[in-house]
Amino acid sequence: MVNISGARPHVLRVTALVAVLLTVFLFFDPIGFAPSSAVGAVKQLATPGTTHTVTHVVLFQFKKDVDAAKVSEVCAKMMALKETCLAPNSNHAYIQSITGGRDISVEGLQHGATHAFVVQFSNTDDRNYYVDHDPAHQAFKKEVEPLVEKVTVLDFANGKF
């Protein structure tokens, strides 16, 4: 009979070497083997925070004389913009998500802001249309303007510092 007990370490070493080589070629493509689109797709999946999503943060400081019912109504309309804002070329909703709520921070760093909303867009074109042209958003801005003392807006591309 043939003694195969020594073959196991050899098989394990070869398997490990193949796994390392495949990993190197999959993620780094050192000799330009893979098409550039495949390498880009793998790098995008392998690198967290490489999204082009735009986050639009809105902080409202409502005037002291605005009653709670009106504040609730306006906040509901802000949340409804996800469905009422439609892309002009497709007539479909283009906002990825809207979240928001009343301030509950205990830090005391709100600088008067009472309500916050976070709106997610797929790209800057959608955000720009929303800010400058969308009829539903333009109407909302006109409605909320007399009710707020201050509005703060901050936009950022996720993962871009």
Side-chain angles (χ1 to χ4, degrees):
M1 285 205 152
V2 177
N3 182 2
I4 61 169
S5 62
R8 280 196 177 152
H10 176 70
V11 169
L12 292 175
R13 283 192 297 266
V14 169
T15 303
L17 178 62
V18 168
V20 168
L21 288 174
L22 285 174
T23 302
V24 167
F25 279 91
L26 181 64
F27 287 104
F28 301 107
D29 193 29
I31 60 172
F33 178 74
S36 62
S37 61
V39 173
V42 169
K43 285 182 180 176
Q44 186 170 3
L45 290 174
T47 308
T50 58
T51 179
H52 298 292
T53 301
V54 175
T55 300
H56 179 75
V57 180
V58 180
L59 305 175
F60 289 143
Q61 178 181 350
F62 284 96
K63 293 179 179 177
K64 301 261 189 248
D65 62 343
V66 178
D67 66 30
K70 187 63 176 173
V71 170
S72 292
E73 177 188 327
V74 168
C75 290
K77 287 182 179 181
M78 175 72 183
M79 298 296 288
L81 288 174
K82 183 178 185 319
E83 286 79 33
T84 59
C85 289
L86 304 175
N89 54 349
S90 67
N91 233 13
H92 287 95
Y94 61 91
I95 294 174
Q96 289 183 327
S97 67
I98 297 180
T99 57
R102 183 174 177 75
D103 171 57
I104 59 169
S105 177
V106 296
E107 294 180 279
L109 300 173
Q110 301 85 335
H111 304 288
T114 58
H115 293 75
F117 298 91
V118 178
V119 185
Q120 297 278 337
F121 298 97
S122 296
N123 53 59
T124 55
D125 290 340
D126 286 351
R127 186 274 322 266
N128 293 347
Y129 176 74
Y130 172 81
V131 169
D132 296 327
H133 305 290
D134 188 286
H137 182 238
Q138 298 306 313
F140 174 78
K141 289 193 310 187
K142 285 181 183 172
E143 181 178 347
V144 78
E145 185 178 4
L147 306 174
V148 292
E149 187 73 33
K150 181 170 75 171
V151 177
T152 302
V153 176
L154 179 90
D155 293 352
F156 60 92
N158 293 349
K160 304 289 183 184
F161 296 97

